Amino acid sequence: MRSFGFLLSRRWVLFALVVAVLAYAAWWLGGWQFRRLDDRKADNAVVRTNEHREITPVGDVLSPDGHPTESDEWRVVSATGTYDPEQTVVVRYRTRDGAQGIDVVVPLVTADGTALLVDRGWLETDPSGADREDIPAPPSGEVAVTGYVRANGTGDSTRVSDRSTRAISSDEIGPALGRSVYGGFVELRSEDPEPDTALEAVELPELNNGPHFFYGLQWWFFGALAIFGFFYLLYDEWRHGPRGERLTRPRSRAASPRPWAR
């Protein structure tokens, strides 16, 4: 019976290291998916809670000097003011069901002069973009709105150029428009009076747990499979010797055909 000395060979040491790295990576990726699942559940709980809270005046949740917290996201706030359509900001590269479009952000100027950035909805456009004259106008005069609180986007995508951006951030849009604005923004829920032509309403987040649980199980299964395969091949070589030697090993006389069998 063979010993386990072959495990000290360079081939097996490298093989063991590769399997260890793969198993650790699979374990870490599985744990990462389960952590994402926990985050998803926490976010869903915030959305469910805030959707059913009473509508709150915007000044009680947002301020020009602060930003909404994670617990404020999707909370419904109300504000009254006048839209300034001349300072409409277009948010590019927004797709829905494969169709290309834009989001339309219009500042709602409140009584004290502070503007609330309102994402009024989505407009389908051709690949070259939308002509601003084709964007439906918001209601004129004093307007009462309700909307879902959203936190600012981050990164280079929030840069504003020619009243156009790829992600909404009050930190970028306020200075670009030369206005004092509330931190964060809201996605429109209702307007009174209603516009002549409405944009497509905001899409609420799906309150499911996503695929993270099954992805986590898959990664852990791959890690377990790598370990199983290692020990299977270890046992196979311990029992029968290296596969390369088996292919070149001469056949035994017992295995040769009998003369009378020809």
Side-chain angles (χ1 to χ4, degrees), residues 147-169:
Y148 301 98
V149 170
R150 299 304 311 277
N152 286 334
T154 58
D156 293 340
S157 60
T158 61
R159 292 177 182 175
V160 180
S161 176
D162 192 26
R163 288 183 287 128
S164 176
T165 185
R166 289 185 290 128
I168 305 171
S169 171

Side-chain angles (χ1 to χ4, degrees), residues 91 94 105 117 119 151-153 158 165-170 173 185:
V91 187
R94 296 298 177 97
V105 177
L117 299 179
D119 182 351
N152 286 334
T158 61
T165 185
R166 289 185 290 128
I168 305 171
S169 171
S170 58
I173 294 177
F185 64 100

Side-chain angles (χ1 to χ4, degrees), residues 1-4 238-239:
M1 184 176 292
R2 291 174 54 86
S3 71
F4 288 98
W238 171 75
R239 185 71 180 270

Side-chain angles (χ1 to χ4, degrees), residues 23-38:
Y24 176 79
W27 173 82
W28 188 89
L29 289 168
W32 172 63
Q33 286 292 341
F34 284 113
R35 289 191 294 274
R36 292 189 66 190
L37 174 62
D38 291 338

Side-chain angles (χ1 to χ4, degrees), residues 51-243:
E51 275 189 320
H52 296 92
R53 295 176 69 176
E54 291 184 1
I55 298 175
T56 307
V58 65
D60 293 348
V61 180
L62 304 179
S63 70
D65 302 321
H67 296 84
T69 64
E70 290 184 2
S71 61
D72 290 327
E73 283 236 78
W74 298 102
R75 189 170 178 180
V76 181
V77 296
S78 62
T80 301
T82 305
Y83 280 122
D84 186 353
E86 296 300 320
Q87 293 193 319
T88 295
V89 175
V90 169
V91 187
R92 308 184 305 275
Y93 308 124
R94 296 298 177 97
T95 59
R96 291 193 183 183
D97 299 325
Q100 183 167 333
I102 59 172
D103 275 8
V104 179
V105 177
V106 186
L108 180 78
V109 184
T110 60
D112 64 1
T114 305
L116 174 65
L117 299 179
V118 181
D119 182 351
R120 298 190 58 247
W122 182 80
L123 176 68
E124 184 175 358
T125 66
D126 58 43
S128 62
D131 190 326
R132 289 182 180 272
E133 295 181 357
D134 296 333
I135 298 175
S140 59
E142 187 174 81
V143 183
V145 305
T146 63
Y148 301 98
V149 170
R150 299 304 311 277
N152 286 334
T154 58
D156 293 340
S157 60
T158 61
R159 292 177 182 175
V160 180
S161 176
D162 192 26
R163 288 183 287 128
S164 176
T165 185
R166 289 185 290 128
I168 305 171
S169 171
S170 58
D171 292 337
E172 297 288 338
I173 294 177
L177 299 181
R179 282 192 175 279
S180 172
V181 299
Y182 286 101
F185 64 100
V186 300
E187 292 186 329
L188 186 65
R189 183 187 186 193
S190 67
E191 291 172 314
D192 185 18
E194 295 182 353
D196 293 334
T197 303
L199 297 167
E200 290 196 33
V202 60
E203 292 183 315
L204 296 177
E206 295 183 2
L207 299 181
N208 56 45
N209 292 332
H212 306 298
F213 177 79
F214 295 102
Y215 285 170
L217 288 182
Q218 286 176 0
W219 280 117
W220 284 356
F221 172 77
F222 292 151
L225 189 63
I227 294 172
F228 172 80
F230 174 82
F231 283 103
Y232 173 79
L233 293 174
L234 183 156
Y235 172 79
D236 182 64
E237 183 156 331
W238 171 75
R239 185 71 180 270
H240 302 292
R243 287 178 177 269

